[in-house]
Amino acid sequence: MARPTKEERKISIMTKALELFSKEGFYQTTMPSIAEKIGMSVGNLYNYFTSKEMLAKDLILYIANILGEHIRAINESDRTTQEKIEAIVHMYFKIAKDRPETIEYFLRVYLSNREVFQNCCSGMICVSAFVTEMMIFFEEGVRCGELRDQDFFSAFGLFMGYLGGMVFINGENILSKPLEEYEHTIAENIYYALKTR
Amino acid sequence: MNTPSPKISTMPSKPVKLRVIWLQGITCNGNTHSFLNDPSLGSLLECIEFIHHPLLPCSKTLKEVVKKLPKSDILIFEGAYRADFERAEIRMESLLMSLALRTKHIISLGSCASFGGIFKESASEHISGILFDKESESGPLHSLRKKVITLSGCPIHPKWISFVIDMIVQGKKISLDEYRRPKELYGYLVHNGCLRNEYFEWKVDSDHFGTKEGCLYYAQGCQGPFTHGSCNKILWNGVSSKTRSGTPCVGCTEPSFPRTELFTTKTYMSIPAEMPLGVPKRSYLALAGAAKSFHIKRLEGKLIDDNS
Ligand code: SF4
Ligand code: SF4
């Protein structure tokens, strides 16, 4: 079997680190605890990531890229805007279910510890792959007349805040039904809130 | 041995002047006025002579031109075209075609002559340019397209016309773009050479006319990034341009001119409806988003602080 490349090793480290960060939080997770979980020496871990902050930054880039690629595929598909909303909600909840650590990291580490990311990820730089696709989704929705023209962030906040909130409540075990059963009504609510009047 | 002194062959011969007819369609005279502003007009007039010009001294009145239909080297057409518009009691469709057939080069001068321009707005279905009707090449001189050089602009910069006349006088080849505009003049975008490029790069906008600082793309409808023209290379009056002085480019050289709401940027969910020419939306948004994440203090302040 071929030896994994450095890039592949990095991704497998990130996957494990993601679990730890999203469970323990940013400050509780240390480079030694990550190294231990992977079964490598701390020294070797530093060969891949020069600091915990750099690892945390690469993780957010990695997640934003995953989300961005999914939304790009939806944007480029032959769907109406309403169908695209359904597809984005479905994709987001599916990732939250299959790989909960991804969304957890986004909500509980990235958004909750802005001071960590301030230097290396100012503004939207590290989540640009994701935000850019959302911009394209909204721009095209308005251009074709399905969505109401308004400030981008008002619409973005409504859409992503809603999804993030639902995943958060779900994580707290408050919901009475499985998350995916809410998909349709949530997509409908988003569509009705944003559509042209 | 006495060699016969060469007489005639070494005498400086008087250069032959190119014969020019300047014909007007439906016009505001803007290009004529712009032409009169050219500081090198004097030397230009040493190379050309006007058989007819509506304002400058010339050898024939329009009535005489209509009667004799003289041959010319250059026919300059200023203003929009309408078949039944009359000059000297002749319908434009016959006057323009007769003169066009008897000339070597035709200059379509200004945006009205080129694409229909402002005047087309009044009766869109009847008015066009001489070769183009907006983007479509369906004007009356279609069969003579090879003779036509388009100089669009509202008005044209005087240097653009003297450049073309000079090239014709020297017998040089002028390479043209898809609308038959000289690439030397229209290969650039107005955005090229604008003093506000750094503000555009870092997404620092200006909300007001006439400020020294800020780019006019997001808040004021500047069309510089998708308008062809050398306004920021060959400056107006030799000193400035619209965008340099703080007013947005309104895209006067393009077939789409005039648009409506010239001083606001059309956006869809805060995203400009029109991207810089040739730049994919995805790439532009990714770069713009990154640039907006930084705050460059130097670009946020006044260039000249009156209070310091
Ligand atoms: S003001 Fe217009 S031409 Fe100048 S940099 Fe901004 S967009 Fe470009
Ligand atoms: S800056 Fe724009 S509107 Fe002004 S003359 Fe140049 S092309 Fe025309």
Side-chain angles (χ1 to χ4, degrees), chain A residues 72 76 122-125 132-133 135 138-139 142-143 148-152 155, chain B residues 266-274 281-283 285-286 289-290 293-294:
Chain A
R72 180 173 182 159
E76 288 175 346
S122 66
M124 302 196 298
I125 289 188
T132 300
E133 289 307 326
M135 283 181 163
F138 282 123
E139 197 262 356
V142 176
R143 196 183 275 269
R148 204 168 64 251
D149 194 15
Q150 57 177 301
D151 183 87
F152 166 75
Chain B
K266 170 87 188 119
T267 57
Y268 295 118
M269 281 260 188
S270 319
I271 294 154
E274 202 145 352
K281 191 161 52 185
R282 193 164 267 115
S283 322
L285 291 177
S293 301
F294 299 103

PDB file of all heavy atoms in Angstrom, chain A residues 72 76 122-125 132-133 135 138-139 142-143 148-152 155, chain B residues 266-274 281-283 285-286 289-290 293-294:
ATOM      1  N   ARG A  72     -21.979  25.114  -4.250  1.00  0.00           N
ATOM      2  CA  ARG A  72     -21.653  25.405  -5.662  1.00  0.00           C
ATOM      3  C   ARG A  72     -22.367  24.406  -6.581  1.00  0.00           C
ATOM      4  O   ARG A  72     -22.956  24.799  -7.598  1.00  0.00           O
ATOM      5  CB  ARG A  72     -20.143  25.336  -5.882  1.00  0.00           C
ATOM      6  CG  ARG A  72     -19.794  25.622  -7.319  1.00  0.00           C
ATOM      7  CD  ARG A  72     -18.311  25.734  -7.541  1.00  0.00           C
ATOM      8  NE  ARG A  72     -18.094  26.048  -8.951  1.00  0.00           N
ATOM      9  CZ  ARG A  72     -16.996  26.596  -9.437  1.00  0.00           C
ATOM     10  NH1 ARG A  72     -16.032  26.918  -8.628  1.00  0.00           N
ATOM     11  NH2 ARG A  72     -16.873  26.834 -10.715  1.00  0.00           N
ATOM     12  N   GLU A  76     -25.089  25.426  -9.355  1.00  0.00           N
ATOM     13  CA  GLU A  76     -24.907  25.135 -10.781  1.00  0.00           C
ATOM     14  C   GLU A  76     -25.919  24.126 -11.314  1.00  0.00           C
ATOM     15  O   GLU A  76     -25.906  23.793 -12.488  1.00  0.00           O
ATOM     16  CB  GLU A  76     -23.469  24.660 -11.037  1.00  0.00           C
ATOM     17  CG  GLU A  76     -22.488  25.814 -10.903  1.00  0.00           C
ATOM     18  CD  GLU A  76     -21.028  25.423 -11.019  1.00  0.00           C
ATOM     19  OE1 GLU A  76     -20.709  24.217 -10.954  1.00  0.00           O
ATOM     20  OE2 GLU A  76     -20.208  26.346 -11.155  1.00  0.00           O
ATOM     21  N   SER A 122      -9.175  37.307   9.507  1.00  0.00           N
ATOM     22  CA  SER A 122     -10.005  38.486   9.721  1.00  0.00           C
ATOM     23  C   SER A 122     -11.159  38.514   8.717  1.00  0.00           C
ATOM     24  O   SER A 122     -11.051  37.978   7.613  1.00  0.00           O
ATOM     25  CB  SER A 122      -9.167  39.758   9.640  1.00  0.00           C
ATOM     26  OG  SER A 122      -8.685  39.916   8.363  1.00  0.00           O
ATOM     27  N   GLY A 123     -12.237  39.142   9.142  1.00  0.00           N
ATOM     28  CA  GLY A 123     -13.417  39.255   8.273  1.00  0.00           C
ATOM     29  C   GLY A 123     -13.909  37.898   7.806  1.00  0.00           C
ATOM     30  O   GLY A 123     -14.079  36.980   8.603  1.00  0.00           O
ATOM     31  N   MET A 124     -14.104  37.794   6.503  1.00  0.00           N
ATOM     32  CA  MET A 124     -14.691  36.560   5.977  1.00  0.00           C
ATOM     33  C   MET A 124     -13.660  35.700   5.258  1.00  0.00           C
ATOM     34  O   MET A 124     -14.017  34.762   4.550  1.00  0.00           O
ATOM     35  CB  MET A 124     -15.803  36.913   5.002  1.00  0.00           C
ATOM     36  CG  MET A 124     -16.908  37.753   5.610  1.00  0.00           C
ATOM     37  SD  MET A 124     -18.379  37.744   4.582  1.00  0.00           S
ATOM     38  CE  MET A 124     -17.757  38.480   3.077  1.00  0.00           C
ATOM     39  N   ILE A 125     -12.369  36.031   5.447  1.00  0.00           N
ATOM     40  CA  ILE A 125     -11.362  35.370   4.609  1.00  0.00           C
ATOM     41  C   ILE A 125     -11.415  33.846   4.689  1.00  0.00           C
ATOM     42  O   ILE A 125     -11.422  33.165   3.667  1.00  0.00           O
ATOM     43  CB  ILE A 125      -9.962  35.873   4.997  1.00  0.00           C
ATOM     44  CG1 ILE A 125      -9.855  37.295   4.516  1.00  0.00           C
ATOM     45  CG2 ILE A 125      -8.872  35.026   4.367  1.00  0.00           C
ATOM     46  CD1 ILE A 125      -8.525  37.878   4.623  1.00  0.00           C
ATOM     47  N   THR A 132     -19.015  33.082  -0.505  1.00  0.00           N
ATOM     48  CA  THR A 132     -19.087  33.419  -1.926  1.00  0.00           C
ATOM     49  C   THR A 132     -20.218  32.652  -2.604  1.00  0.00           C
ATOM     50  O   THR A 132     -20.988  33.223  -3.392  1.00  0.00           O
ATOM     51  CB  THR A 132     -17.744  33.103  -2.627  1.00  0.00           C
ATOM     52  OG1 THR A 132     -16.741  33.882  -2.008  1.00  0.00           O
ATOM     53  CG2 THR A 132     -17.790  33.442  -4.106  1.00  0.00           C
ATOM     54  N   GLU A 133     -20.333  31.368  -2.286  1.00  0.00           N
ATOM     55  CA  GLU A 133     -21.403  30.589  -2.915  1.00  0.00           C
ATOM     56  C   GLU A 133     -22.771  31.066  -2.452  1.00  0.00           C
ATOM     57  O   GLU A 133     -23.723  31.085  -3.230  1.00  0.00           O
ATOM     58  CB  GLU A 133     -21.226  29.087  -2.639  1.00  0.00           C
ATOM     59  CG  GLU A 133     -20.069  28.459  -3.386  1.00  0.00           C
ATOM     60  CD  GLU A 133     -20.082  28.687  -4.896  1.00  0.00           C
ATOM     61  OE1 GLU A 133     -21.168  28.744  -5.500  1.00  0.00           O
ATOM     62  OE2 GLU A 133     -18.983  28.829  -5.467  1.00  0.00           O
ATOM     63  N   MET A 135     -23.456  34.105  -1.676  1.00  0.00           N
ATOM     64  CA  MET A 135     -23.674  35.364  -2.415  1.00  0.00           C
ATOM     65  C   MET A 135     -24.223  35.043  -3.801  1.00  0.00           C
ATOM     66  O   MET A 135     -25.160  35.683  -4.274  1.00  0.00           O
ATOM     67  CB  MET A 135     -22.352  36.127  -2.590  1.00  0.00           C
ATOM     68  CG  MET A 135     -21.902  36.843  -1.356  1.00  0.00           C
ATOM     69  SD  MET A 135     -20.365  37.707  -1.731  1.00  0.00           S
ATOM     70  CE  MET A 135     -20.323  38.840  -0.365  1.00  0.00           C
ATOM     71  N   PHE A 138     -27.858  33.981  -3.640  1.00  0.00           N
ATOM     72  CA  PHE A 138     -28.790  35.106  -3.447  1.00  0.00           C
ATOM     73  C   PHE A 138     -28.857  35.996  -4.681  1.00  0.00           C
ATOM     74  O   PHE A 138     -29.923  36.415  -5.115  1.00  0.00           O
ATOM     75  CB  PHE A 138     -28.373  35.954  -2.238  1.00  0.00           C
ATOM     76  CG  PHE A 138     -28.743  35.331  -0.916  1.00  0.00           C
ATOM     77  CD1 PHE A 138     -27.792  35.076   0.053  1.00  0.00           C
ATOM     78  CD2 PHE A 138     -30.062  34.998  -0.633  1.00  0.00           C
ATOM     79  CE1 PHE A 138     -28.137  34.501   1.269  1.00  0.00           C
ATOM     80  CE2 PHE A 138     -30.422  34.437   0.581  1.00  0.00           C
ATOM     81  CZ  PHE A 138     -29.457  34.182   1.528  1.00  0.00           C
ATOM     82  N   GLU A 139     -27.688  36.268  -5.247  1.00  0.00           N
ATOM     83  CA  GLU A 139     -27.645  37.167  -6.410  1.00  0.00           C
ATOM     84  C   GLU A 139     -28.488  36.596  -7.547  1.00  0.00           C
ATOM     85  O   GLU A 139     -29.278  37.305  -8.172  1.00  0.00           O
ATOM     86  CB  GLU A 139     -26.192  37.360  -6.843  1.00  0.00           C
ATOM     87  CG  GLU A 139     -25.962  38.556  -7.752  1.00  0.00           C
ATOM     88  CD  GLU A 139     -25.914  38.194  -9.213  1.00  0.00           C
ATOM     89  OE1 GLU A 139     -25.981  36.994  -9.577  1.00  0.00           O
ATOM     90  OE2 GLU A 139     -25.841  39.112 -10.030  1.00  0.00           O
ATOM     91  N   VAL A 142     -32.278  36.784  -6.851  1.00  0.00           N
ATOM     92  CA  VAL A 142     -32.867  38.111  -7.068  1.00  0.00           C
ATOM     93  C   VAL A 142     -32.905  38.415  -8.570  1.00  0.00           C
ATOM     94  O   VAL A 142     -33.890  38.904  -9.097  1.00  0.00           O
ATOM     95  CB  VAL A 142     -32.069  39.204  -6.324  1.00  0.00           C
ATOM     96  CG1 VAL A 142     -32.634  40.581  -6.648  1.00  0.00           C
ATOM     97  CG2 VAL A 142     -32.119  38.963  -4.834  1.00  0.00           C
ATOM     98  N   ARG A 143     -31.815  38.092  -9.252  1.00  0.00           N
ATOM     99  CA  ARG A 143     -31.723  38.376 -10.686  1.00  0.00           C
ATOM    100  C   ARG A 143     -32.866  37.712 -11.465  1.00  0.00           C
ATOM    101  O   ARG A 143     -33.440  38.301 -12.374  1.00  0.00           O
ATOM    102  CB  ARG A 143     -30.377  37.890 -11.221  1.00  0.00           C
ATOM    103  CG  ARG A 143     -30.001  38.440 -12.571  1.00  0.00           C
ATOM    104  CD  ARG A 143     -28.686  37.834 -13.017  1.00  0.00           C
ATOM    105  NE  ARG A 143     -27.532  38.542 -12.491  1.00  0.00           N
ATOM    106  CZ  ARG A 143     -26.931  39.561 -13.122  1.00  0.00           C
ATOM    107  NH1 ARG A 143     -27.383  39.962 -14.281  1.00  0.00           N
ATOM    108  NH2 ARG A 143     -25.888  40.156 -12.599  1.00  0.00           N
ATOM    109  N   ARG A 148     -36.532  38.602  -3.117  1.00  0.00           N
ATOM    110  CA  ARG A 148     -36.662  40.063  -2.954  1.00  0.00           C
ATOM    111  C   ARG A 148     -35.269  40.688  -2.841  1.00  0.00           C
ATOM    112  O   ARG A 148     -34.402  40.123  -2.176  1.00  0.00           O
ATOM    113  CB  ARG A 148     -37.451  40.305  -1.669  1.00  0.00           C
ATOM    114  CG  ARG A 148     -38.155  41.605  -1.589  1.00  0.00           C
ATOM    115  CD  ARG A 148     -39.131  41.620  -0.417  1.00  0.00           C
ATOM    116  NE  ARG A 148     -38.468  41.498   0.878  1.00  0.00           N
ATOM    117  CZ  ARG A 148     -38.501  40.450   1.660  1.00  0.00           C
ATOM    118  NH1 ARG A 148     -39.163  39.366   1.291  1.00  0.00           N
ATOM    119  NH2 ARG A 148     -37.893  40.434   2.818  1.00  0.00           N
ATOM    120  N   ASP A 149     -35.096  41.820  -3.482  1.00  0.00           N
ATOM    121  CA  ASP A 149     -33.805  42.499  -3.372  1.00  0.00           C
ATOM    122  C   ASP A 149     -33.692  43.152  -2.006  1.00  0.00           C
ATOM    123  O   ASP A 149     -34.603  43.846  -1.559  1.00  0.00           O
ATOM    124  CB  ASP A 149     -33.705  43.569  -4.468  1.00  0.00           C
ATOM    125  CG  ASP A 149     -32.281  44.069  -4.638  1.00  0.00           C
ATOM    126  OD1 ASP A 149     -31.351  43.404  -4.138  1.00  0.00           O
ATOM    127  OD2 ASP A 149     -32.106  45.119  -5.266  1.00  0.00           O
ATOM    128  N   GLN A 150     -32.616  42.892  -1.308  1.00  0.00           N
ATOM    129  CA  GLN A 150     -32.391  43.505   0.001  1.00  0.00           C
ATOM    130  C   GLN A 150     -30.912  43.415   0.324  1.00  0.00           C
ATOM    131  O   GLN A 150     -30.120  42.915  -0.467  1.00  0.00           O
ATOM    132  CB  GLN A 150     -33.207  42.781   1.074  1.00  0.00           C
ATOM    133  CG  GLN A 150     -32.914  41.280   1.158  1.00  0.00           C
ATOM    134  CD  GLN A 150     -33.679  40.610   2.282  1.00  0.00           C
ATOM    135  OE1 GLN A 150     -33.521  40.978   3.429  1.00  0.00           O
ATOM    136  NE2 GLN A 150     -34.516  39.635   1.944  1.00  0.00           N
ATOM    137  N   ASP A 151     -30.528  43.886   1.511  1.00  0.00           N
ATOM    138  CA  ASP A 151     -29.131  43.805   1.894  1.00  0.00           C
ATOM    139  C   ASP A 151     -28.721  42.340   2.034  1.00  0.00           C
ATOM    140  O   ASP A 151     -29.447  41.530   2.591  1.00  0.00           O
ATOM    141  CB  ASP A 151     -28.920  44.535   3.223  1.00  0.00           C
ATOM    142  CG  ASP A 151     -27.457  44.535   3.613  1.00  0.00           C
ATOM    143  OD1 ASP A 151     -26.743  45.443   3.165  1.00  0.00           O
ATOM    144  OD2 ASP A 151     -27.030  43.617   4.330  1.00  0.00           O
ATOM    145  N   PHE A 152     -27.534  42.021   1.510  1.00  0.00           N
ATOM    146  CA  PHE A 152     -27.083  40.627   1.528  1.00  0.00           C
ATOM    147  C   PHE A 152     -27.081  40.046   2.942  1.00  0.00           C
ATOM    148  O   PHE A 152     -27.557  38.928   3.177  1.00  0.00           O
ATOM    149  CB  PHE A 152     -25.670  40.528   0.917  1.00  0.00           C
ATOM    150  CG  PHE A 152     -25.006  39.207   1.191  1.00  0.00           C
ATOM    151  CD1 PHE A 152     -25.403  38.070   0.498  1.00  0.00           C
ATOM    152  CD2 PHE A 152     -24.013  39.088   2.160  1.00  0.00           C
ATOM    153  CE1 PHE A 152     -24.814  36.829   0.753  1.00  0.00           C
ATOM    154  CE2 PHE A 152     -23.428  37.861   2.429  1.00  0.00           C
ATOM    155  CZ  PHE A 152     -23.829  36.728   1.727  1.00  0.00           C
ATOM    156  N   ALA A 155     -30.381  38.876   4.511  1.00  0.00           N
ATOM    157  CA  ALA A 155     -30.865  37.609   3.973  1.00  0.00           C
ATOM    158  C   ALA A 155     -29.979  36.455   4.424  1.00  0.00           C
ATOM    159  O   ALA A 155     -30.463  35.387   4.834  1.00  0.00           O
ATOM    160  CB  ALA A 155     -30.891  37.684   2.448  1.00  0.00           C
TER     161      ALA A 155
ATOM    162  N   LYS B 266     -26.500  49.346 -10.008  1.00  0.00           N
ATOM    163  CA  LYS B 266     -27.553  48.328  -9.930  1.00  0.00           C
ATOM    164  C   LYS B 266     -26.979  47.121  -9.191  1.00  0.00           C
ATOM    165  O   LYS B 266     -25.914  46.613  -9.529  1.00  0.00           O
ATOM    166  CB  LYS B 266     -27.976  47.954 -11.364  1.00  0.00           C
ATOM    167  CG  LYS B 266     -28.884  46.750 -11.446  1.00  0.00           C
ATOM    168  CD  LYS B 266     -30.344  47.151 -11.291  1.00  0.00           C
ATOM    169  CE  LYS B 266     -31.264  45.946 -11.177  1.00  0.00           C
ATOM    170  NZ  LYS B 266     -32.013  45.884  -9.922  1.00  0.00           N
ATOM    171  N   THR B 267     -27.691  46.702  -8.146  1.00  0.00           N
ATOM    172  CA  THR B 267     -27.194  45.540  -7.392  1.00  0.00           C
ATOM    173  C   THR B 267     -28.303  44.514  -7.226  1.00  0.00           C
ATOM    174  O   THR B 267     -29.488  44.845  -7.282  1.00  0.00           O
ATOM    175  CB  THR B 267     -26.715  45.935  -5.977  1.00  0.00           C
ATOM    176  OG1 THR B 267     -27.796  46.565  -5.295  1.00  0.00           O
ATOM    177  CG2 THR B 267     -25.510  46.827  -5.993  1.00  0.00           C
ATOM    178  N   TYR B 268     -27.918  43.291  -7.029  1.00  0.00           N
ATOM    179  CA  TYR B 268     -28.837  42.228  -6.635  1.00  0.00           C
ATOM    180  C   TYR B 268     -28.330  41.729  -5.288  1.00  0.00           C
ATOM    181  O   TYR B 268     -27.230  41.195  -5.212  1.00  0.00           O
ATOM    182  CB  TYR B 268     -28.828  41.090  -7.655  1.00  0.00           C
ATOM    183  CG  TYR B 268     -29.343  41.473  -9.017  1.00  0.00           C
ATOM    184  CD1 TYR B 268     -28.532  41.410 -10.135  1.00  0.00           C
ATOM    185  CD2 TYR B 268     -30.663  41.895  -9.188  1.00  0.00           C
ATOM    186  CE1 TYR B 268     -29.011  41.754 -11.387  1.00  0.00           C
ATOM    187  CE2 TYR B 268     -31.146  42.238 -10.444  1.00  0.00           C
ATOM    188  CZ  TYR B 268     -30.323  42.173 -11.535  1.00  0.00           C
ATOM    189  OH  TYR B 268     -30.794  42.524 -12.775  1.00  0.00           O
ATOM    190  N   MET B 269     -29.110  41.923  -4.220  1.00  0.00           N
ATOM    191  CA  MET B 269     -28.668  41.582  -2.862  1.00  0.00           C
ATOM    192  C   MET B 269     -27.271  42.137  -2.586  1.00  0.00           C
ATOM    193  O   MET B 269     -26.356  41.403  -2.240  1.00  0.00           O
ATOM    194  CB  MET B 269     -28.609  40.067  -2.686  1.00  0.00           C
ATOM    195  CG  MET B 269     -29.920  39.455  -2.444  1.00  0.00           C
ATOM    196  SD  MET B 269     -30.395  39.045  -0.832  1.00  0.00           S
ATOM    197  CE  MET B 269     -31.888  38.151  -1.206  1.00  0.00           C
ATOM    198  N   SER B 270     -27.103  43.378  -2.797  1.00  0.00           N
ATOM    199  CA  SER B 270     -25.845  44.102  -2.532  1.00  0.00           C
ATOM    200  C   SER B 270     -24.701  43.737  -3.469  1.00  0.00           C
ATOM    201  O   SER B 270     -23.587  44.220  -3.305  1.00  0.00           O
ATOM    202  CB  SER B 270     -25.343  43.900  -1.096  1.00  0.00           C
ATOM    203  OG  SER B 270     -26.374  43.947  -0.167  1.00  0.00           O
ATOM    204  N   ILE B 271     -24.946  42.867  -4.460  1.00  0.00           N
ATOM    205  CA  ILE B 271     -23.860  42.446  -5.346  1.00  0.00           C
ATOM    206  C   ILE B 271     -24.027  43.142  -6.693  1.00  0.00           C
ATOM    207  O   ILE B 271     -25.111  43.081  -7.284  1.00  0.00           O
ATOM    208  CB  ILE B 271     -23.880  40.918  -5.509  1.00  0.00           C
ATOM    209  CG1 ILE B 271     -23.548  40.288  -4.155  1.00  0.00           C
ATOM    210  CG2 ILE B 271     -22.896  40.448  -6.574  1.00  0.00           C
ATOM    211  CD1 ILE B 271     -24.093  38.927  -3.970  1.00  0.00           C
ATOM    212  N   PRO B 272     -22.993  43.852  -7.163  1.00  0.00           N
ATOM    213  CA  PRO B 272     -23.142  44.604  -8.411  1.00  0.00           C
ATOM    214  C   PRO B 272     -23.647  43.710  -9.540  1.00  0.00           C
ATOM    215  O   PRO B 272     -23.179  42.583  -9.711  1.00  0.00           O
ATOM    216  CB  PRO B 272     -21.722  45.097  -8.714  1.00  0.00           C
ATOM    217  CG  PRO B 272     -21.010  45.047  -7.426  1.00  0.00           C
ATOM    218  CD  PRO B 272     -21.632  43.961  -6.617  1.00  0.00           C
ATOM    219  N   ALA B 273     -24.618  44.227 -10.290  1.00  0.00           N
ATOM    220  CA  ALA B 273     -25.225  43.434 -11.361  1.00  0.00           C
ATOM    221  C   ALA B 273     -24.228  43.204 -12.495  1.00  0.00           C
ATOM    222  O   ALA B 273     -24.298  42.215 -13.193  1.00  0.00           O
ATOM    223  CB  ALA B 273     -26.454  44.160 -11.894  1.00  0.00           C
ATOM    224  N   GLU B 274     -23.311  44.136 -12.655  1.00  0.00           N
ATOM    225  CA  GLU B 274     -22.357  43.983 -13.751  1.00  0.00           C
ATOM    226  C   GLU B 274     -20.938  43.869 -13.205  1.00  0.00           C
ATOM    227  O   GLU B 274     -20.520  44.669 -12.382  1.00  0.00           O
ATOM    228  CB  GLU B 274     -22.455  45.185 -14.691  1.00  0.00           C
ATOM    229  CG  GLU B 274     -21.929  44.868 -16.045  1.00  0.00           C
ATOM    230  CD  GLU B 274     -22.707  45.591 -17.150  1.00  0.00           C
ATOM    231  OE1 GLU B 274     -23.736  46.211 -16.837  1.00  0.00           O
ATOM    232  OE2 GLU B 274     -22.279  45.535 -18.290  1.00  0.00           O
ATOM    233  N   LYS B 281     -17.941  36.044 -11.985  1.00  0.00           N
ATOM    234  CA  LYS B 281     -18.576  36.535 -10.748  1.00  0.00           C
ATOM    235  C   LYS B 281     -17.976  35.874  -9.502  1.00  0.00           C
ATOM    236  O   LYS B 281     -17.684  36.530  -8.512  1.00  0.00           O
ATOM    237  CB  LYS B 281     -20.081  36.243 -10.837  1.00  0.00           C
ATOM    238  CG  LYS B 281     -20.886  36.921  -9.764  1.00  0.00           C
ATOM    239  CD  LYS B 281     -22.350  36.994 -10.125  1.00  0.00           C
ATOM    240  CE  LYS B 281     -22.925  35.657 -10.520  1.00  0.00           C
ATOM    241  NZ  LYS B 281     -24.302  35.721 -10.978  1.00  0.00           N
ATOM    242  N   ARG B 282     -17.800  34.566  -9.603  1.00  0.00           N
ATOM    243  CA  ARG B 282     -17.285  33.811  -8.450  1.00  0.00           C
ATOM    244  C   ARG B 282     -15.912  34.333  -8.034  1.00  0.00           C
ATOM    245  O   ARG B 282     -15.651  34.566  -6.861  1.00  0.00           O
ATOM    246  CB  ARG B 282     -17.222  32.338  -8.839  1.00  0.00           C
ATOM    247  CG  ARG B 282     -17.010  31.395  -7.722  1.00  0.00           C
ATOM    248  CD  ARG B 282     -17.352  29.956  -8.126  1.00  0.00           C
ATOM    249  NE  ARG B 282     -18.718  29.586  -7.810  1.00  0.00           N
ATOM    250  CZ  ARG B 282     -19.653  29.288  -8.703  1.00  0.00           C
ATOM    251  NH1 ARG B 282     -19.384  29.344  -9.983  1.00  0.00           N
ATOM    252  NH2 ARG B 282     -20.857  28.938  -8.313  1.00  0.00           N
ATOM    253  N   SER B 283     -15.039  34.531  -9.007  1.00  0.00           N
ATOM    254  CA  SER B 283     -13.680  35.003  -8.691  1.00  0.00           C
ATOM    255  C   SER B 283     -13.749  36.411  -8.119  1.00  0.00           C
ATOM    256  O   SER B 283     -13.071  36.743  -7.146  1.00  0.00           O
ATOM    257  CB  SER B 283     -12.809  35.055  -9.936  1.00  0.00           C
ATOM    258  OG  SER B 283     -13.077  33.976 -10.768  1.00  0.00           O
ATOM    259  N   LEU B 285     -16.211  37.890  -6.506  1.00  0.00           N
ATOM    260  CA  LEU B 285     -16.787  37.939  -5.158  1.00  0.00           C
ATOM    261  C   LEU B 285     -15.805  37.413  -4.122  1.00  0.00           C
ATOM    262  O   LEU B 285     -15.705  37.943  -3.018  1.00  0.00           O
ATOM    263  CB  LEU B 285     -18.088  37.146  -5.106  1.00  0.00           C
ATOM    264  CG  LEU B 285     -19.250  37.775  -5.883  1.00  0.00           C
ATOM    265  CD1 LEU B 285     -20.468  36.879  -5.827  1.00  0.00           C
ATOM    266  CD2 LEU B 285     -19.579  39.167  -5.348  1.00  0.00           C
ATOM    267  N   ALA B 286     -15.067  36.354  -4.474  1.00  0.00           N
ATOM    268  CA  ALA B 286     -14.094  35.801  -3.526  1.00  0.00           C
ATOM    269  C   ALA B 286     -13.022  36.853  -3.217  1.00  0.00           C
ATOM    270  O   ALA B 286     -12.694  37.109  -2.052  1.00  0.00           O
ATOM    271  CB  ALA B 286     -13.475  34.537  -4.094  1.00  0.00           C
ATOM    272  N   GLY B 289     -14.554  39.906  -1.333  1.00  0.00           N
ATOM    273  CA  GLY B 289     -14.840  39.556   0.065  1.00  0.00           C
ATOM    274  C   GLY B 289     -13.564  39.575   0.885  1.00  0.00           C
ATOM    275  O   GLY B 289     -13.527  40.099   2.005  1.00  0.00           O
ATOM    276  N   ALA B 290     -12.489  39.041   0.317  1.00  0.00           N
ATOM    277  CA  ALA B 290     -11.211  39.025   1.036  1.00  0.00           C
ATOM    278  C   ALA B 290     -10.726  40.457   1.243  1.00  0.00           C
ATOM    279  O   ALA B 290     -10.366  40.849   2.360  1.00  0.00           O
ATOM    280  CB  ALA B 290     -10.183  38.221   0.252  1.00  0.00           C
ATOM    281  N   SER B 293     -12.251  42.373   3.992  1.00  0.00           N
ATOM    282  CA  SER B 293     -11.962  41.921   5.347  1.00  0.00           C
ATOM    283  C   SER B 293     -10.823  42.714   5.985  1.00  0.00           C
ATOM    284  O   SER B 293     -10.589  42.628   7.180  1.00  0.00           O
ATOM    285  CB  SER B 293     -11.572  40.443   5.327  1.00  0.00           C
ATOM    286  OG  SER B 293     -12.615  39.691   4.790  1.00  0.00           O
ATOM    287  N   PHE B 294     -10.082  43.421   5.167  1.00  0.00           N
ATOM    288  CA  PHE B 294      -8.961  44.186   5.725  1.00  0.00           C
ATOM    289  C   PHE B 294      -9.333  45.661   5.808  1.00  0.00           C
ATOM    290  O   PHE B 294     -10.101  46.155   5.001  1.00  0.00           O
ATOM    291  CB  PHE B 294      -7.736  44.050   4.829  1.00  0.00           C
ATOM    292  CG  PHE B 294      -7.262  42.641   4.705  1.00  0.00           C
ATOM    293  CD1 PHE B 294      -7.527  41.906   3.563  1.00  0.00           C
ATOM    294  CD2 PHE B 294      -6.570  42.037   5.742  1.00  0.00           C
ATOM    295  CE1 PHE B 294      -7.101  40.597   3.450  1.00  0.00           C
ATOM    296  CE2 PHE B 294      -6.133  40.727   5.637  1.00  0.00           C
ATOM    297  CZ  PHE B 294      -6.406  40.002   4.486  1.00  0.00           C
TER     298      PHE B 294
END
